């Protein structure tokens, strides 16, 4: 899968403006096999990665999709409004990105600062019509790269007990479960994971 990374450029000092370089294209990692040995279907077209602010029109499909999914699995809740948008900005040690295909948001995710060396993943989502394409893997990999660029060495996250697909995604992308995989998910509560993304300085 080829993706174009797009992020707002920092303003140049007066009199030093120069034309921006063309967007950098890079090949995303091959999707990791899903649990059970079934590999996600790889995307056949290019996608654009966009770093976005919350709220914003490109984020709305993701937030609405997540809210519907949380409600269907856990009942009425306000999880989607739990964290203010500024926590997902680089100025506060965070990031929010979406994958855009043919002008539509098809997947995305975010992280915020958990502690001085740890980013916490949040809001990982893929549109139901675009699942089994490896987009969730691509989102996680992009977030890991951005977290490393911001100086983090560890990723932490939690997912709910009624989201086995999410747990499978994190296991497939190399995350270590911080709970007993053999326990009844409902007795565990939130399922925590971690991953070291770079060595200590």
């Amino acid at each position: 899968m080829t993706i174009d990374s797009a992020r707002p450029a920092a303003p140049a000092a007066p009199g030093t403006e120069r034309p921006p370089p063309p967007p950098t294209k890079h090949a995303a990692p091959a999707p990791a096999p899903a649990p059970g040995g079934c590999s996600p279907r790889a995307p056949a077209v290019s996608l654009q990665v966009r770093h976005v602010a919350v709220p914003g029109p490109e984020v709305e499909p993701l937030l609405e999709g997540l809210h519907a999914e949380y409600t269907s699995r856990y009942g009425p809740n306000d999880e989607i409004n739990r964290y203010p948008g500024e926590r997902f900005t680089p100025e506060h040690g965070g990031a929010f990105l979406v994958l855009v295909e043919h002008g539509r948001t098809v997947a995305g995710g975010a992280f915020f600062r958990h502690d001085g060396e740890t980013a916490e993943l949040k809001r990982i989502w893929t549109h139901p019509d675009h699942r089994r394409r490896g987009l969730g893997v691509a989102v996680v990999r992009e977030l890991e790269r951005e977290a490393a660029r911001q100086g983090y060495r560890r990723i932490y996250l939690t997912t709910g007990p009624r989201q086995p697909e999410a747990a499978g995604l994190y296991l497939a992308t190399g995350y270590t479960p911080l709970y007993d995989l053999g326990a009844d998910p409902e007795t565990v509560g939130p399922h925590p994971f971690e991953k070291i993304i770079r060595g200590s300085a």
Side-chain angles (χ1 to χ4, degrees):
M1 172 175 57
T2 299
I3 53 180
D4 297 335
S5 293
R7 68 179 70 227
T16 64
E17 295 87 347
R18 64 180 64 185
T24 301
K25 293 186 178 182
H26 58 277
C38 180
S39 298
R41 179 166 52 92
V45 299
S46 293
L47 298 165
Q48 187 176 48
V49 177
R50 297 182 184 175
H51 290 250
V52 294
V54 182
E58 291 178 317
V59 179
E60 285 308 307
L62 181 153
L63 298 179
E64 291 173 2
L66 278 176
H67 180 66
E69 192 137 349
Y70 293 157
T71 300
S72 70
R73 300 192 189 211
Y74 302 102
N77 65 88
D78 198 37
E79 169 62 24
I80 208 68
N81 297 314
R82 185 176 178 183
Y83 306 105
E86 58 264 25
R87 290 197 67 181
F88 300 107
T89 63
E91 293 79 8
H92 290 81
F96 207 123
L97 61 84
V98 295
L99 300 188
V100 177
E101 180 179 69
H102 304 308
R104 295 185 176 182
T105 298
V106 295
F111 67 77
F112 56 57
R113 178 188 173 94
H114 182 80
D115 60 38
E117 65 175 18
T118 307
E120 182 169 350
L121 294 194
K122 289 291 181 185
R123 308 296 184 244
I124 309 299
W125 172 83
T126 300
H127 190 286
D129 293 343
H130 296 274
R131 292 176 183 174
R132 307 301 299 171
R133 297 179 55 195
L135 300 185
V137 173
V139 168
V140 170
R141 298 299 191 215
E142 285 294 319
L143 290 170
E144 290 173 351
R145 280 191 280 270
E146 178 62 23
R149 280 193 289 266
Q150 292 194 28
Y152 294 110
R153 64 175 295 271
R154 174 177 175 262
I155 299 283
Y156 173 80
L157 65 92
T158 61
T159 190
R162 301 177 188 175
Q163 295 168 261
E165 306 92 337
L169 168 64
Y170 303 129
L171 290 170
T173 47
Y175 283 77
T176 300
L178 303 178
Y179 64 97
D180 181 0
L181 289 173
D184 179 351
E186 293 290 343
T187 66
V188 174
H191 291 21
F193 293 81
E194 72 170 356
K195 182 177 184 179
I196 305 302
I197 57 173
R198 67 180 181 86
S200 300

